[in-house]
Amino acid sequence: AEEEREVEEPRQQVLMLKKIAFSILAVRARSLTTSVRLDKYLVDVGCASSRTLSASLIKKGRVRINGEIARSGKLKVDPDATISLDGVVIEEEYVPLLLAYHKPVGVHSTMSDQLGRKDLVSELFNSVPRSWQRSLHPVGRLDADTSGLLLFSSSGELTHRLLHPKRKINKQYLAHCHLSDTCDLDQDDTFQLLSTRLETGVLTATGTHRAKLISLQKVQENQNLIIQIRLLVSEGKHRMVRRMLANLGAPVIHLHRERFGPIELDSIPLGQIKPITDPYILDWAESLLSNNINNTQHP
């Protein structure tokens, strides 16, 4: 039964991706058989998730019809028109700006692994449209033993800004931790104690790092006391969360990333992907690209 499930999950993943790709093709084919409004066309082919966002793209002069800057979303697009966004002609398979992936434990956040271990190509990219393979790249990385949200982007500039330390974009993690013999986090005021230490800063081998404690819960597992710690960090140093908690006497058993800025993992099944289409998130990404640092932070 276990082997059947392992075979079935990749099949479902491939079917889902094919469905996404073919739906884009079908919608575009319908759109180009007759004249349609430009703002509707941009939504139909996946360049924008709403007419509001279409209007924003057009207003900024990012959309051209036959080489001329489009001035209004009400313009009718003829079937033989050449439409471009940011200088790139919109073709049959438009690549999403952002894509969310629920990374399982054991997958390395690299495009190839010389040791033959599971990587992003072997686990994910072999089953996505070729245009996506050429354009999408991971935004940072998660350790092989960490699960959760890993973003992909088709914009190198957006990736740079998502990862730039000046942006201070919060990432939310849920950590399951042991308590060491010398740890004093089993007291009644554990939350306040841990919160103070994390916000003050924890000295590690890679420097002093800070975090904001969101929640803390103590659970009993196999006669062992486990604490579940949910926290926010704005840095992205290698194994930073694990180092911080270990130095506080709470070594991590399992680490899971739940959120990156406003993008949440939600109900994306393990090992599967979801293109980001939420207008709020796409507007947030636009604010990053507009170089407005004050509007890039998210609680």
Side-chain angles (χ1 to χ4, degrees), residues 61-243:
R62 296 173 58 184
V63 181
R64 291 175 179 262
I65 302 176
N66 297 327
E68 299 293 328
I69 296 177
R71 301 296 181 185
S72 170
K74 296 180 181 180
L75 292 172
K76 292 289 186 175
V77 177
D78 294 326
D80 58 349
T82 299
I83 306 164
S84 61
L85 174 63
D86 295 336
V88 179
V89 175
I90 299 172
E91 298 181 354
E92 292 182 346
E93 294 181 28
Y94 189 80
V95 180
L97 177 64
L98 286 168
L99 184 106
Y101 171 49
H102 189 166
K103 190 189 88 65
V105 170
V107 176
H108 292 256
S109 299
T110 57
M111 301 305 288
S112 63
D113 187 83
Q114 295 181 347
L115 300 178
R117 297 171 297 186
K118 293 180 179 180
D119 57 35
L120 297 175
V121 170
S122 64
E123 296 302 304
L124 176 65
F125 265 39
N126 286 335
S127 57
V128 303
R130 289 186 178 180
S131 59
W132 295 19
Q133 294 179 33
R134 292 191 298 267
S135 303
L136 289 168
H137 55 266
V139 179
R141 59 195 303 161
L142 288 178
D143 298 329
D145 49 357
T146 299
S147 65
L149 177 62
L150 179 64
L151 294 180
F152 286 82
S153 169
S154 58
S155 167
E157 182 61 29
L158 177 59
T159 298
H160 172 72
R161 299 187 181 207
L162 285 168
L163 298 175
H164 199 290
K166 286 186 178 180
R167 302 286 167 175
K168 295 183 178 179
I169 298 174
N170 284 324
K171 278 77 71 175
Q172 181 173 300
Y173 290 87
L174 177 63
H176 291 72
C177 305
H178 279 305
L179 292 181
S180 66
D181 295 336
T182 58
C183 182
D184 58 358
L185 295 178
D186 57 350
Q187 302 176 17
D188 293 336
D189 60 345
T190 301
F191 185 92
Q192 187 58 50
L193 184 64
L194 181 59
S195 179
T196 300
R197 290 178 180 176
L198 287 172
E199 292 188 14
T200 301
V202 182
L203 180 62
T204 73
T206 57
T208 299
H209 306 299
R210 294 171 176 81
K212 180 179 180 180
L213 182 62
I214 301 300
S215 66
L216 184 148
Q217 183 179 3
K218 300 176 185 178
V219 296
Q220 203 74 26
E221 291 184 6
N222 300 324
Q223 299 183 341
N224 294 318
L225 180 62
I226 304 295
I227 56 174
Q228 297 176 351
I229 300 171
R230 181 171 279 110
L231 71 169
L232 292 176
V233 296
S234 59
E235 296 180 86
K237 297 293 180 63
H238 180 57
R239 300 183 75 83
M240 183 183 77
V241 174
R242 293 178 183 272
R243 294 176 192 272

Side-chain angles (χ1 to χ4, degrees), residues 226-287:
I226 304 295
I227 56 174
Q228 297 176 351
I229 300 171
R230 181 171 279 110
L231 71 169
L232 292 176
V233 296
S234 59
E235 296 180 86
K237 297 293 180 63
H238 180 57
R239 300 183 75 83
M240 183 183 77
V241 174
R242 293 178 183 272
R243 294 176 192 272
M244 292 171 66
L245 294 176
N247 287 5
L248 291 175
V252 173
I253 305 168
H254 176 66
L255 188 62
H256 181 76
R257 184 155 73 187
E258 300 177 315
R259 179 163 64 82
F260 192 120
I263 305 171
E264 297 183 357
L265 189 60
D266 288 333
S267 58
I268 301 175
L270 185 66
Q272 295 195 17
I273 62 171
K274 179 181 178 182
I276 303 298
T277 58
D278 187 313
Y280 168 71
I281 295 176
L282 294 176
D283 284 344
W284 172 75
E286 288 288 336
S287 74

Side-chain angles (χ1 to χ4, degrees), residues 9-19 127:
E9 288 179 355
R11 286 177 181 169
Q12 293 175 352
Q13 173 81 344
V14 172
L15 289 173
M16 181 195 72
L17 291 167
K18 286 183 177 179
K19 184 177 180 181
S127 57

